[in-house]
């Protein structure tokens, strides 16, 4: 089996069976990271470029580790150290990178739609590593893998996503992904951070955090995306934390076996208390571990499986 598509641009594009295929492939790759020699030869001879126009710790590192664990050559380019600072356009950058014959470009950019635009300029595969407030598909896939691993299923679960919904590409990708796999998703946040029409993506929406997390199987907390906000969307951090922060008291409203997710980076004491972030319900570091397996699966299904077949 392979993904019969050149690029991975968003979860909105994927069918449920394609998401299931990525998750099951990721499950099979997890053991590679537990081996003493953490490497398989599957992508030997392939070249993967990580083109990051925005800061990243988890996504960039795990795409690089995933490529290297599959024996591909991985090259990292950040905007600050590239010819972008000399005025080169994205299109020219892409066409020059393409001239060096990479097999895949992984791109993160502050503008929504950049990966899709890039995919039209280049013949190689393009993977979206986060574009503006649009989508972050590999994050949603690792979130779904983490939930599936812990709960044994996604179908029928109740998922609450809380925080800055308007500016969150993670929220959008997860709404698409979890609802396609049969979960019920509710998003909660301040009215100023709730985009009009969000329910058209298939979720419910509320400004009342406590009702959103009541009886939830999964609570996903989101960071306030100050880098995407041109104005202040709430009076003070303290006020935000009081109304929308997840603390031990609020966790009790969810199911007894609730799991807590956060894509990171977390702002301790703002959207999540340290006790909850480091507590028994938190799977935040499991998400990071699963990020490597999911990204290995993405590379395999875009670049490797076709060759093996
Ligand atoms: N979750 C996430 O995208 O983290 P980074 O910004 O560190 O990549």
């Amino acid at each position: 089996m392979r993904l019969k598509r050149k690029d991975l641009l968003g979860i909105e594009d994927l069918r449920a069976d394609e998401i299931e295929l990525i998750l099951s492939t990721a499950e099979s790759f997890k053991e590679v990271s537990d081996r003493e020699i953490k490497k398989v030869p599957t992508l030997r001879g392939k070249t993967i470029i990580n083109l990051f126009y925005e800061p990243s710790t988890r996504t960039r590192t795990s795409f690089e580790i995933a490529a290297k664990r599959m024996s591909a050559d991985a090259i990292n380019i950040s905007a600050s150290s590239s010819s972008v600072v000399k005025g080169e356009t994205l299109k020219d950058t892409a066409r020059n990178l393409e001239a060096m014959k990479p097999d895949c470009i992984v791109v993160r950019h502050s503008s929504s739609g950049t990966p899709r635009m890039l995919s039209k300029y280049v013949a190689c595969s393009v993977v979206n590593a986060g574009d503006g407030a649009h989508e972050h598909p590999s994050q949603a896939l690792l979130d779904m893998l983490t939930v599936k691993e812990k709960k044994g299923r996604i179908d029928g679960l109740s998922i609450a996503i809380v925080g800055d919904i308007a500016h969150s590409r993670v929220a959008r990708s997860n709404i698409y992904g979890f609802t396609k796999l049969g979960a019920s998703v509710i998003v909660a946040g301040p009215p100023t951070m709730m985009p009009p029409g969000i329910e058209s993506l298939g979720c419910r929406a509320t400004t009342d955090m406590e009702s959103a997390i009541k009886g939830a199987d999964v609570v996903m907390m989101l960071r306030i995306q100050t880098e995407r906000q041109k104005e202040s969307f709430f009076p003070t951090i303290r006020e935000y934390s009081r109304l929308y922060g997840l603390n031990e008291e609020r966790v009790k409203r969810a199911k007894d076996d609730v799991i807590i997710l956060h894509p990171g980076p977390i702002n301790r004491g703002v959207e999540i208390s340290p006790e909850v972030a480091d507590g028994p319900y938190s799977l935040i570091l499991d998400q990071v571990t699963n990020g490597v397996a999911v990204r290995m699966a993405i590379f395999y299904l875009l670049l490797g499986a076709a060759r093996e077949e």
Side-chain angles (χ1 to χ4, degrees):
M1 287 280 281
R2 66 188 167 97
L3 281 178
K4 293 187 179 66
R5 49 177 77 240
K6 176 172 95 62
D7 311 302
L8 178 64
L9 303 177
I11 303 292
E12 186 180 11
D13 301 336
L14 298 181
R15 299 185 310 270
D17 66 292
E18 292 178 295
I19 297 172
E20 298 277 17
L21 173 62
I22 298 170
L23 299 187
S24 60
T25 307
E27 274 165 349
S28 72
F29 277 126
K30 274 201 78 169
E31 60 87 20
V32 174
S33 295
D34 294 326
R35 293 182 193 175
E36 196 176 333
I37 309 292
K38 301 177 180 61
K39 228 175 187 36
V40 289
T42 317
L43 295 185
R44 203 170 46 209
K46 299 283 184 185
T47 304
I48 293 166
I49 296 178
N50 284 325
L51 178 60
F52 275 61
Y53 286 81
E54 280 191 327
S56 170
T57 298
R58 284 146 287 269
T59 311
R60 189 163 99 166
T61 310
S62 60
F63 268 118
E64 183 179 355
I65 289 175
K68 289 181 170 164
R69 291 204 176 146
M70 303 197 79
S71 301
D73 296 309
I75 290 95
N76 291 320
I77 304 174
S78 62
S80 59
S81 61
S82 73
S83 289
V84 169
V85 293
K86 300 176 199 163
E88 187 170 59
T89 64
L90 176 73
K91 184 175 180 181
D92 282 331
T93 301
R95 293 181 68 190
N96 279 271
L97 293 176
E98 171 82 344
M100 296 180 232
K101 311 284 183 200
D103 298 284
C104 181
I105 299 175
V106 178
V107 63
R108 169 172 285 193
H109 201 283
S110 58
S111 295
S112 300
T114 296
R116 195 171 298 277
M117 190 174 77
L118 196 71
S119 74
K120 294 187 190 348
Y121 298 147
V122 297
C124 69
S125 291
V126 172
V127 175
N128 180 1
D131 61 330
H134 176 227
E135 280 228 39
H136 193 347
S138 62
Q139 177 68 47
L141 287 161
L142 73 88
D143 294 337
M144 287 185 270
L145 178 62
T146 307
V147 171
K148 194 170 169 218
E149 229 174 39
K150 189 71 180 178
K151 298 284 184 192
R153 69 191 167 103
I154 289 177
D155 187 30
L157 293 182
S158 172
I159 319 274
I161 304 177
V162 181
D164 181 2
I165 307 299
H167 302 96
S168 175
R169 54 199 178 201
V170 174
R172 292 172 70 88
S173 288
N174 270 305
I175 293 167
Y176 288 129
F178 279 109
T179 54
K180 282 180 192 213
L181 296 192
S184 157
V185 178
I186 183 162
V187 296
T192 49
M193 293 181 181
M194 189 61 69
I198 186 77
E199 290 179 319
S200 67
L201 303 190
C203 61
R204 288 172 297 133
T206 177
T207 55
D208 178 4
M209 176 196 185
E210 301 210 343
S211 71
I213 64 176
K214 189 160 183 259
D217 296 289
V218 178
V219 176
M220 181 184 297
M221 299 305 297
L222 301 174
R223 182 176 63 88
I224 303 163
Q225 308 262 308
T226 44
E227 69 274 27
R228 293 188 216 297
Q229 298 177 1
K230 294 185 179 66
E231 56 190 291
S232 184
F233 284 81
F234 52 90
T236 61
I237 293 278
R238 198 183 161 124
E239 175 86 352
Y240 179 85
S241 186
R242 191 174 63 77
L243 288 172
Y244 295 101
L246 188 63
N247 53 31
E248 286 178 307
E249 203 46 46
R250 284 196 169 131
V251 169
K252 290 180 191 154
R253 293 184 156 263
K255 288 223 174 99
D256 290 343
D257 60 349
V258 66
I259 59 177
I260 311 292
L261 304 182
H262 192 308
I266 64 175
N267 288 143
R268 287 173 181 267
V270 180
E271 74 274 9
I272 190 165
S273 72
E275 296 74 27
V276 174
D278 303 327
Y281 304 107
S282 169
L283 294 184
I284 294 173
L285 293 179
D286 300 72
Q287 291 173 265
V288 179
T289 302
N290 283 338
V292 174
V294 155
R295 286 157 181 138
M296 289 172 79
I298 291 168
F299 288 144
Y300 176 73
L301 292 167
L302 290 178
L303 312 178
R307 186 172 66 177
E308 288 186 0
E309 281 173 13

